[in-house]
Structures are given as structure tokens and as C-alpha cells.
Amino acid sequence: MSRILAFAASEARIAMRNRWVAIVTLLMALFSLVLAAAGSAPTGELGIDRLSVTVASLTSLAVYLVPLVALLMSFDAVAGEIERGTLPLALTYPVSRAEVLFGKFLAHLAILALAVAVGYGLAAVAALAVDPEAVAGLPALFRLFWSSLLLGAAFLAAGYAVSAVARRPGAAAGMAIGLWLALIVLWDLGLLAAVVADDGGTFTTQVFPWLLLGNPADAFRLYNLAASDATAAAAGVGGAAAAIPPVQALASVLIWPVLAFGLAIAAFRRVTP
């Protein structure tokens, strides 16, 4: 464990030196405050507290921003070490490749946790300042926080896998952005087109729910909306959130970080310094 923590501390210092901590925290804080101000407009119509509606808006933010930030932090975790020539030196120490990768993972996850905590915390303060009843939405906000970390963990591990496969930072960056576009943007567009073409057939009723659960970002969104009082604030996925049991969405959110990290370790072991 001491070896893992040593690599984590080293990676954290590098991230602070590269201004990643400040950039990620500023991004989350800025977008969270904007959504806290703009996303609470329907509270009067829905009859629920301001923070619960803000959580629904933050869920949509997290689906796009958390995976992107995670991939940007992790895409050069292996490829960058290869290009700088530091990977052979790191592997000369009595430490396994899994321990090296887990040390990087702990550092990046801690940075992501700090950024998410600051962003969501500012949104909560803004909601509580104008609506004392917003305290009822704190459990939903806490659920969004830890599930956002699980989502980020899945994409951090996916970024390590991409980095190990690409072996060059430029190629890894392109693959990371392509992965983000495929899972966050194109996946949902493809499913929507298929549902429209199917017109309520077997695909819509039998296959579509499993494809949603097969994407960690969709599973994250479905879990948080299904467990929230503000499902109506997200009309586009409200029906799907109500139709899929939250326990299935939670299982997907929990399983994906483990699977992705396993793939990252397998890819890293094939890298020759």
C-alpha cells in the first residue's frame, strides 16, 4: 500500500504542477453555479424544492463533464510516461504494473472528487441561500456526488486503457475524445434513431433498456433520475428512468469501474517500455 500511495502522491504533485487541479475545480464550480441559477426555474411549477431540481440539472452536467475531465486527466498516464522515457525507470522499482496504475488512479480520483465536491457544494449553497426548504434535496445531492465519482472512475480507467493501447500522447488524446463522443453523444443518438425506426417493436421493449444499462453514462443518469423527486425536470429521459429499476442502473454504475480498470491493467501489461 505504501508503494501505491507513493505513486499517488507523485502523480498528484504532477497534476498540481500542470494546473490540472485548478482547471478541473474551476470548470466544475463555474458550470455548477450556472446550472444552479438557470436550472431551478421550474421549481414553482413542479412543487418541489430548489435543490432537487438543481440536482437534476447537475446530473445532466455530470454526464457530459465528468467523463470528459476523467479522460483528459488519464489519456497520457501511460503514453506520456513512454514518450518522456520515465516508464522504464518506474518499472525498475519493486512494484507491479497494477500498483503503478492504481497509484495514478487514486491521485486522479482524488482530484476529481475535490472538483466535484467544490462544484456541487457551491450549487447547494446557492440553492439553500434562496430556499430554506432546499435542505430536503441534500440526500439526492450526496447520491449524485458518490455516483459521479463512480462514473469518473470508469472513465479514468478507460483512459488508462486507451493510453496503454495508443502508446503515444497524440494518438491517445484522439482515441480518448473519440471514446467520449461515442459513449456520451453518438450512443444516445443511435439509440434514439433505432427507437424511432422500431416504432414500439421488440427493440424498444426488449433491447433498448439493456443498451442503456450497458453505457455507464446512461446508467448513471437513469439511477440518479429514478431515485430523485425531480424526474419531471428531465423530460427527455424521465420515461426511461421510470421504466428501468434503479437497482439495475446502480449495478451497472458499480460494475463498470471494475471492468474498465481490469481492461486497463491488461492493456498496460502488454506495453513494452
Side-chain angles (χ1 to χ4, degrees), residues 54-107:
T54 299
V55 166
S57 299
L58 290 175
T59 300
S60 297
L61 168 69
V63 165
Y64 289 94
L65 191 56
V66 169
L68 179 61
V69 168
L71 288 170
L72 289 177
M73 283 196 297
S74 61
F75 78 89
D76 69 338
V78 177
E81 297 273 10
I82 294 175
E83 185 176 73
R84 292 188 295 269
T86 55
L87 182 60
L89 176 62
L91 295 180
T92 60
Y93 293 102
V95 58
S96 69
R97 297 193 180 208
E99 290 173 333
V100 171
L101 213 56
F102 195 62
K104 292 176 178 289
F105 177 79
L106 287 181

Side-chain angles (χ1 to χ4, degrees), residues 121-135:
L122 289 175
V125 169
L128 290 168
V130 297
D131 181 12
E133 296 182 359
V135 68

Side-chain angles (χ1 to χ4, degrees), residues 75-76 78-80 82-84 162-175 272:
F75 78 89
D76 69 338
V78 177
I82 294 175
E83 185 176 73
R84 292 188 295 269
V162 164
S163 185
V165 170
R167 305 191 184 189
R168 293 292 180 271
M175 291 176 65
T272 302

Side-chain angles (χ1 to χ4, degrees), residues 131-155:
D131 181 12
E133 296 182 359
V135 68
L138 288 177
L141 184 67
F142 178 69
R143 180 175 57 246
L144 178 65
F145 171 74
W146 61 258
S147 59
S148 294
L149 294 187
L150 288 173
L151 177 65
F155 279 88

